[in-house]
Amino acid sequence: MASLNLLLTVCFAYVALLFAVAFAADRVAARGGSAWLRSPLVYTLSLSIYCTAWTFYGAVGYAARSGLEFVTIYLGPTLVMVGWWWGLRKLVRIGRAQRVTSIADLISSRYGKSNMLAIGVTILAVIGVTPYIALQLQSITLSFSIFADADPTSGFREGASVIWVAAGLAVFAILFGTRNLDANERHHGVVTAVALEAIVKLIALLAVGIFVVWGLSGGLASTMARIDASQIGTWQVDGGRWATITFLAAAAFVCLPRMFQVMVVENEDERHLQIAAWAFPLYLLLMSLFVVPIAAVGLELMPAGSNPDLFVLTIPLSQGREGLAMLSFLGGFSSATSMVIVAAMALSTMVSNHIVMPIWLSWQGSAAAQSGDVRKIVLSARRVSIGVIMALGVAYYEVSGGGAALAAIGLIAFAGIAQILPALVGGLFWRGATRLGALAGLSLGFAIWLYTLLLPALGSGVLPEAVVEQGLFGWAWLKPYGLFGIAGLDPIVHCVVWSMTLNALAFCVVSLATLPNPVERLQGAQYVNVFDHSAGPRGWTGSVAQSEDLMVMSQRILGAQDALTLFAREAELQGGHGYLPEPTPEFLNRLERKLAGSVGAATAHAMVGQIVGGSAVSVQDLMAVADESAQLLEYSNKLEAQSAELSRTARQLREANEKLTQLSVQKDSFLSQVSHELRTPMTSIRAFSEILRDTHDLKKEEMRRYASVIHDEALRLTRLLNDLLDLSVLESGQVSLNMREGRLAEVLDHAVSAALAGSTQRLQVIRRSEGEALQLCSDLDRLAQVFINLIANADKYCDAAAPQLTIAVRSGGGVLTIDFIDNGSGIPAEAQSMVFEKFARVSAEKAGGAGLGLAICREIMERLGGSITYLNGRRGGAFRVTLPVEGAALAAQ
Ligand code: ADP
């Protein structure tokens, strides 16, 4: 019986070998590397950290419990490798182009360098991977205890050994994972050691399988018979579980931080993927080849109740094959250690980069930028993170008691990590995916996974029994295993269906509803179109290339002519010839400011920075963004114009409507006023004519008086009708003007005498002949009509004791102004605006006319191309008539 001491010695020797290999590989890599270090073989083997102790030991246990279902764990990655290698290639290309250091980094940089997303993914990864690390610690401890059981003298204590194992692994990860800060984050030592471990675990599993089939079972045929006889032969396919677990394994293969580390971050050459695409599935096939035979033979040979998870170890031991058992132990040990080391490294990078460093930087403030030891801080942060992560693993192991079946914990971790998938795949292929969309999807999926899978699995200590049975707050639709009333599903299937569906849905809906910011758009373009521009490390070789690219970009944004002028002027300023200036900082600053006017400061800065900074962004991408911005700008301009047009039309409609309403009101009041005006004289004519007709003994005197009243009223009626007719002709625009030449003084002479003929008042008219001595060409009769009205009004309404009217004529600037100002009390301010309306009378008692005079004046002046206004601020009534006059006509005659 192998003593525990021998085992420990072998174990230490093996670890020492790993150290040596890792150390040597690091040395070789530091000296420039050798071909085999960067071979596709090492890459493919390093991918085998997918096969952890869970697959090494657990697959046999899984097969013993649920038949062929364990195949799904291998099927998922195989499908990804064979069917989605182009997607992986894109991932690897982006990882290199963007110098991505972890999956959190990838997601955050895709969505506009969002630190929030990075923190979210990091937390998710830590929570999802911790149980997995605990699982590895458990399997190592378990395998130790198997040997300890066989060696009663050992005094082996499980609890202590977990801590020792964890500490040892942490030291390894710290030594080789955080030795230096490489910009590419490549760790040749670790990868080479992992590749070596991959070979050891494969050989160990194959050896046990060969021993079981040919050494124990007696050849292939009898093994087949045993399999048929065992319960494995009668397995039944649960389609839902198969599909779900295959999907989970595929998703985890892409999203697990440690897989991302070896597949993307540690990748040396994208072409390695081509080989890995068939070599890795082959490796998986070999790993799974003997799982079923070992399970079937183990179930038959081993005593009832023995743990099938450890058949790989216990079968050789029970047969006294200590050497084989030792090899098997090393296989399991390799699986566990490689996984833990790489996972701890990957997680520590995420934790230190996205959680510790931001906190440290904000705590340090500007001092951090000056002190040169940021690198030291980063490395220390990573070392501490590795320690903390391992401690978390140990804590989880202690809390969970290490009892749960291996497969169950692994699947729970897979389902958690799979929540990253929508944001990852969406980010690779969909430019419309936004930061908020990714955040929404990720948090929703994470919450559902936590509630429907992880918390219930942790036992009643975390989530009370009542919640699991009756749902949260007693709401049946919130049962962790029967969300929204869909009960009876397998918990894994249930969780994956709900979390992934709602995660993807939230991601899409929120992405569609939100707009990406400039950095997001730029990053999105670089991710989605990564193949269009990153054909190897191209770089900007000369300044001419940069200037040319800047020129092309500026033309897109500023327009060809403006850009050419700007560049030519800059070139001249620099004393050069042609139109391409050197990309000096001053020029770049000015260009950036100029571009910022069109696309905003952030985008301009990013665009110029991307071209001049020499990063792998393609000019096409910048153009795409520029075009997009231009389209957006154009579109928003169009929208603006349309909305301005709309509001203009609306305003016009409103005005038209108001006018119509006003007109209709005017028409009504006009009709009622006209009938009122007509009725008054009509009534008196009727009354007096009746008296004349019916009264026979009228005195002659009376008869004459009555007849003259009738005559006056008839005259008034005639005047009124004439005015109305005149007004309607003027308003309808059908009036024909009789333009002729004449002297203004003569027109005024005529107007004064006509207006004052028969007047009883003694209105004194004051005129200055010098202003009036000019010739003008207009409809002089109509003009006289206006003057007559104004003079007659002054005669009628001027209430001064000695009424006076001043007529002042001025001309200049092509306009002739004639003011009629009397010394009466004028028209009160509130009535001034309406005196030009029809039937507008200011004081009823002095009613001279029907109130049509000024309305007619206004119409006439409009027809003549001039205007008539009331002059505010004069002492008496004051009207101003203006008339446009040709310069020649104004010349004094
Ligand atoms: P009417 O035909 O009744 O004279 P107008 O349209 O010519 O009507 O004048 C309208 C009103 O303006 C008059 O009723 C009168 O009250 C007022 N008005 C016109 N001219 C003067 C003035 N020079 N001084 C004071 N009130 C005036």
Side-chain angles (χ1 to χ4, degrees):
M1 208 25 85
S3 75
L4 195 64
N5 285 338
L6 178 61
L7 183 79
L8 283 179
T9 315
V10 172
C11 199
F12 276 121
Y14 181 64
V15 171
L17 173 72
L18 289 181
F19 265 97
V21 167
F23 187 69
D26 264 347
R27 288 287 293 272
V28 172
R31 270 192 268 112
S34 77
W36 65 268
L37 256 191
R38 295 204 207 97
S39 70
L41 181 70
V42 171
Y43 180 66
T44 308
L45 286 174
S46 72
L47 290 185
S48 79
I49 54 156
Y50 177 74
C51 302
T52 63
W54 177 32
T55 25
F56 189 84
Y57 293 125
V60 172
Y62 202 155
R65 287 188 198 94
S66 351
L68 274 188
E69 199 178 275
F70 81 93
V71 170
T72 51
I73 299 295
Y74 298 106
L75 202 56
T78 305
L79 288 178
V80 172
M81 269 299 188
V82 175
W84 204 60
W85 60 268
W86 46 273
L88 292 182
R89 194 166 75 106
K90 191 165 191 178
L91 206 58
V92 170
R93 176 73 67 90
I94 291 171
R96 303 193 69 187
Q98 301 274 322
R99 295 179 192 278
V100 163
T101 59
S102 67
I103 184 147
D105 193 22
L106 179 102
I107 301 262
S108 114
S109 110
R110 160 61 181 89
Y111 296 105
K113 326 230 151 153
S114 148
N115 208 37
M116 181 106 116
L117 264 177
I119 293 173
V121 174
T122 304
I123 291 175
L124 181 72
V126 170
I127 296 183
V129 174
T130 303
Y132 216 149
I133 291 178
L135 183 68
Q136 311 304 315
L137 299 178
Q138 178 193 351
S139 73
I140 296 178
T141 323
L142 261 182
S143 54
F144 269 127
S145 72
I146 293 290
F147 282 86
D149 287 349
D151 182 2
T153 61
S154 65
F156 172 79
R157 282 205 341 274
E158 224 180 87
S161 76
V162 166
I163 296 176
W164 279 114
V165 171
L169 293 176
V171 168
F172 193 99
I174 287 172
L175 276 186
F176 291 96
T178 63
R179 275 233 309 231
N180 49 2
L181 256 192
D182 180 20
N184 300 320
E185 288 295 339
R186 301 229 173 90
H187 309 88
H188 299 280
V190 175
V191 170
T192 317
V194 164
L196 177 67
E197 291 191 298
I199 298 173
V200 172
K201 63 191 176 195
L202 182 63
I203 290 177
L205 204 55
L206 286 179
V208 174
I210 290 169
F211 166 70
V212 165
V213 172
W214 282 279
L216 266 185
S217 178
L220 267 183
S222 60
T223 309
M224 281 313 212
R226 280 170 204 262
I227 294 172
D228 279 343
S230 74
Q231 63 195 48
I232 302 173
T234 59
W235 56 275
Q236 280 174 338
V237 177
D238 174 350
R241 257 185 83 87
W242 266 67
T244 307
I245 300 176
T246 307
F247 167 78
L248 276 188
F253 183 68
V254 181
C255 300
L256 274 171
R258 68 170 193 279
M259 291 314 298
F260 192 87
Q261 178 79 29
V262 287
M263 190 153 50
V264 178
V265 181
E266 307 282 354
N267 178 285
E268 288 282 349
D269 187 336
E270 195 175 297
R271 279 166 302 188
H272 290 175
L273 259 181
Q274 280 171 2
I275 292 172
W278 59 263
F280 184 64
L282 186 68
Y283 182 91
L284 291 182
L285 182 73
L286 291 176
M287 284 294 281
S288 57
L289 205 55
F290 290 104
V291 168
V292 173
I294 297 174
V297 173
L299 281 175
E300 203 182 309
L301 287 185
M302 301 302 289
S306 51
N307 186 355
D309 279 334
L310 293 170
F311 277 172
V312 181
L313 209 55
T314 48
I315 293 177
L317 268 182
S318 72
Q319 300 300 315
R321 299 294 183 130
E322 283 154 23
L324 186 60
M326 200 79 86
L327 181 62
S328 164
F329 168 82
L330 283 184
F333 185 74
S334 302
S335 314
T337 50
S338 54
M339 179 270 164
V340 173
I341 290 168
V342 180
M345 255 168 53
L347 285 183
S348 76
T349 309
M350 286 157 65
V351 171
S352 74
N353 281 7
H354 303 302
I355 297 180
V356 179
M357 286 319 286
I359 294 174
W360 184 80
L361 283 176
S362 70
W363 177 56
Q364 284 282 304
S366 58
Q370 285 135 29
S371 72
D373 55 3
V374 176
R375 294 163 66 87
K376 263 193 212 147
I377 301 286
V378 173
L379 286 180
S380 317
R382 290 201 185 165
R383 288 174 189 147
V384 174
S385 307
I386 289 180
V388 170
I389 288 160
M390 298 303 277
L392 276 179
V394 174
Y396 187 90
Y397 173 83
E398 301 288 353
V399 168
S400 70
L406 297 182
I409 307 183
L411 280 181
I412 291 174
F414 274 16
I417 293 297
Q419 302 307 325
I420 303 175
L421 193 70
L424 177 71
V425 176
L428 291 192
F429 297 99
W430 183 30
R431 285 192 60 186
T434 68
R435 186 180 72 92
L436 288 177
L439 262 179
L442 212 58
S443 9
L444 190 61
F446 178 65
I448 295 177
W449 167 73
L450 215 59
Y451 182 66
T452 61
L453 206 55
L454 186 67
L455 294 185
L458 287 178
S460 53
V462 185
L463 205 62
E465 203 63 34
V467 173
V468 179
E469 295 292 320
Q470 279 133 35
L472 199 60
F473 313 124
W475 294 339
W477 60 274
L478 273 184
K479 277 189 213 167
Y481 289 140
L483 222 49
F484 307 121
I486 298 187
L489 279 180
D490 179 272
I492 290 274
V493 179
H494 173 264
C495 163
V496 169
V497 167
W498 279 122
S499 62
M500 292 311 289
T501 314
L502 295 182
N503 178 338
L505 201 71
F507 171 61
C508 293
V509 170
V510 177
S511 287
L512 287 175
T514 51
L515 278 182
N517 66 31
V519 186
E520 271 180 82
R521 264 200 272 155
L522 206 60
Q523 288 295 95
Q526 287 193 64
Y527 271 57
V528 176
N529 307 328
V530 68
F531 287 119
D532 297 344
H533 59 73
S534 62
R538 199 169 42 148
W540 306 100
T541 41
S543 56
V544 177
Q546 285 182 1
S547 294
E548 254 170 19
D549 287 321
L550 285 172
M551 174 76 176
V552 176
M553 183 184 72
S554 310
Q555 283 188 341
R556 293 272 177 108
I557 297 174
L558 302 174
Q561 201 47 52
D562 280 4
L564 269 176
T565 327
L566 176 74
F567 275 60
R569 199 177 56 227
E570 289 291 338
E572 209 178 281
L573 272 181
Q574 292 180 358
H577 298 289
Y579 64 94
L580 281 183
E582 293 287 314
T584 58
E586 301 81 56
F587 164 57
L588 291 177
N589 265 339
R590 277 195 292 272
L591 178 66
E592 203 179 302
R593 266 203 303 278
K594 182 97 185 168
L595 294 181
S598 307
V599 293
T603 315
H605 181 71
M607 293 173 117
V608 173
Q610 294 284 17
I611 286 190
V612 181
S615 98
V617 68
S618 80
V619 177
Q620 285 98 307
D621 282 334
L622 294 176
M623 298 318 158
V625 174
D627 281 347
E628 250 168 41
S629 315
Q631 275 167 17
L632 270 180
L633 218 67
E634 199 178 307
Y635 182 64
S636 80
N637 280 346
K638 230 184 245 166
L639 270 185
E640 223 166 78
Q642 273 175 2
S643 85
E645 173 81 40
L646 265 179
S647 56
R648 203 164 40 243
T649 317
R651 200 178 54 240
Q652 283 168 349
L653 270 177
R654 211 167 39 241
E655 282 169 5
N657 191 32
E658 269 164 22
K659 202 160 211 162
L660 273 178
T661 327
Q662 226 174 21
L663 278 178
S664 143
V665 171
Q666 274 178 7
K667 188 200 75 188
D668 288 348
S669 72
F670 178 73
L671 278 180
S672 79
Q673 277 168 331
V674 168
S675 49
H676 173 77
E677 293 296 332
L678 289 177
R679 197 172 294 125
T680 326
M682 281 305 216
T683 316
S684 58
I685 288 176
R686 212 175 71 200
F688 284 107
S689 54
E690 272 170 10
I691 295 173
L692 282 179
R693 187 191 63 196
D694 301 337
T695 323
H696 303 290
D697 50 355
L698 272 180
K699 292 193 192 108
K700 221 176 185 152
E701 190 63 15
E702 285 173 327
M703 272 171 67
R704 177 168 305 113
R705 212 175 67 230
Y706 294 162
S708 66
V709 169
I710 291 175
H711 180 251
D712 284 352
E713 293 297 320
L715 278 182
R716 208 168 116 176
L717 262 181
T718 319
R719 233 186 3 252
L720 181 65
L721 287 176
N722 279 341
D723 281 355
L724 275 175
L725 267 176
D726 202 15
L727 195 61
S728 83
V729 168
L730 281 166
E731 277 184 341
S732 69
Q734 286 163 348
V735 63
S736 54
L737 296 176
N738 176 21
M739 308 296 274
R740 63 190 166 83
E741 289 217 351
R743 286 164 62 86
L744 177 63
E746 273 166 23
V747 181
L748 282 170
D749 286 344
H750 164 68
V752 171
S753 53
L756 299 182
S759 159
T760 49
Q761 273 218 42
R762 313 249 13 93
L763 178 72
Q764 191 192 351
V765 178
I766 304 166
R767 291 168 56 184
R768 277 186 220 97
S769 53
E770 63 273 23
E772 296 169 3
L774 47 82
Q775 192 86 359
L776 74 167
C777 175
S778 187
D779 187 329
L780 299 179
D781 294 336
R782 285 293 190 183
L783 198 59
Q785 193 183 345
V786 172
F787 295 163
I788 292 171
N789 204 303
L790 291 175
I791 299 166
N793 272 357
D795 183 39
K796 276 189 282 181
Y797 303 116
C798 180
D799 49 5
Q804 272 184 358
L805 173 70
T806 314
I807 301 178
V809 179
R810 261 182 301 113
S811 60
V815 184
L816 172 67
T817 339
I818 309 149
D819 291 345
F820 295 81
I821 301 172
D822 63 41
N823 60 348
S825 52
I827 297 177
E830 66 277 4
Q832 286 168 6
S833 62
M834 45 132 333
V835 283
F836 295 100
E837 299 302 327
K838 291 185 279 256
F839 301 108
R841 279 171 300 199
V842 177
S843 46
E845 25 346 317
K846 283 207 276 176
L852 291 173
L854 286 177
I856 292 175
C857 291
R858 188 179 63 181
E859 289 297 329
I860 292 174
M861 288 320 296
E862 258 171 40
R863 297 286 153 235
L864 295 181
S867 68
I868 173 165
T869 49
Y870 188 80
L871 286 179
N872 205 359
R874 305 300 168 104
R875 223 177 301 115
F879 290 86
R880 168 166 292 176
V881 175
T882 61
L883 201 63
V885 204
E886 294 294 314
L890 280 170
Q893 299 287 310

